[in-house]
Amino acid sequence: MFDFQQISRYRENNRLEAKLATGGLPRSIWETYSAFANSNGGLILLGVEELPDHTLRVQGLLEPHELAEEFWTLVNDPAVVSANILRPEDVWVAGTEEGSVVVIQVPPAERDQRPVYVGGDPFRGSYRRSGDGDYHCTRAELNAMLGGRSH
């Protein structure tokens, strides 16, 4: 479980991504969702900023429940992302002393669900997680994922 009391000790990595989200749902959330789903899964924190020294700090959100609802609407839209692999308990609002944060626990997608991609084209919208970044999948990575699907 993520300990918000120790947030300054955490850093973005291959399983953790912080997004400020004070202006609403960030567009880059879908690349991160795809990357975590196509890799080993991970935790997206909305309402948390990464500081210049790479430490994390809770900024908090004014309307966290509305942001979570917007996320649920969009993750279920196949024009936005190819598959919703989340269960209801994978998205929640965490209250901290500094403010509320939306937490999204993205599991790794099953082999027959991969690739999870943004938009309508798996060759342009599939991402993978490496270190603290989201990267387009190579054609070889995509072919391996597509070859792993059950027929």
Side-chain angles (χ1 to χ4, degrees):
M1 188 68 169
F2 190 85
D3 183 1
F4 283 99
Q5 299 291 338
Q6 302 293 322
I7 194 158
S8 64
R9 295 180 179 213
Y10 291 102
R11 301 291 182 273
E12 286 189 343
N13 57 42
N14 65 337
R15 302 286 309 270
L16 179 65
E17 176 73 19
K19 297 190 180 291
L20 190 54
T22 54
L25 202 60
R27 287 176 40 139
S28 64
I29 194 170
W30 305 114
E31 287 86 357
T32 302
Y33 174 81
S34 168
F36 282 157
N38 292 328
S39 301
N40 297 313
L43 200 64
I44 301 171
L45 304 175
L46 302 178
V48 175
E49 71 177 315
E50 182 183 24
L51 300 172
D53 66 355
H54 301 287
T55 59
L56 303 180
R57 176 177 71 191
V58 172
Q59 183 68 31
L61 298 166
L62 293 175
E63 305 285 347
H65 295 284
E66 288 80 357
L67 197 65
E69 286 178 27
E70 179 185 0
F71 174 81
W72 275 116
T73 299
L74 293 173
V75 79
N76 284 303
D77 183 346
V80 175
V81 67
S82 64
N84 176 3
I85 60 170
L86 302 175
R87 301 164 304 172
E89 59 268 21
D90 291 331
V91 179
W92 68 94
V93 174
T96 72
E97 291 180 13
E98 295 82 15
S100 294
V101 173
V102 174
V103 181
I104 304 166
Q105 177 70 53
V106 182
E110 298 294 329
R111 287 179 57 146
D112 62 347
Q113 295 172 314
R114 292 184 186 191
V116 173
Y117 54 92
V118 179
D121 183 356
F123 290 95
R124 292 181 45 188
S126 296
Y127 293 82
R128 62 178 170 77
R129 188 74 176 184
S130 181
D132 63 353
D134 305 323
Y135 299 93
H136 275 104
C137 289
T138 64
R139 188 163 291 274
E141 290 167 330
L142 277 169
N143 289 335
M145 283 188 255
L146 291 168
R149 286 185 166 195
S150 301
H151 296 290

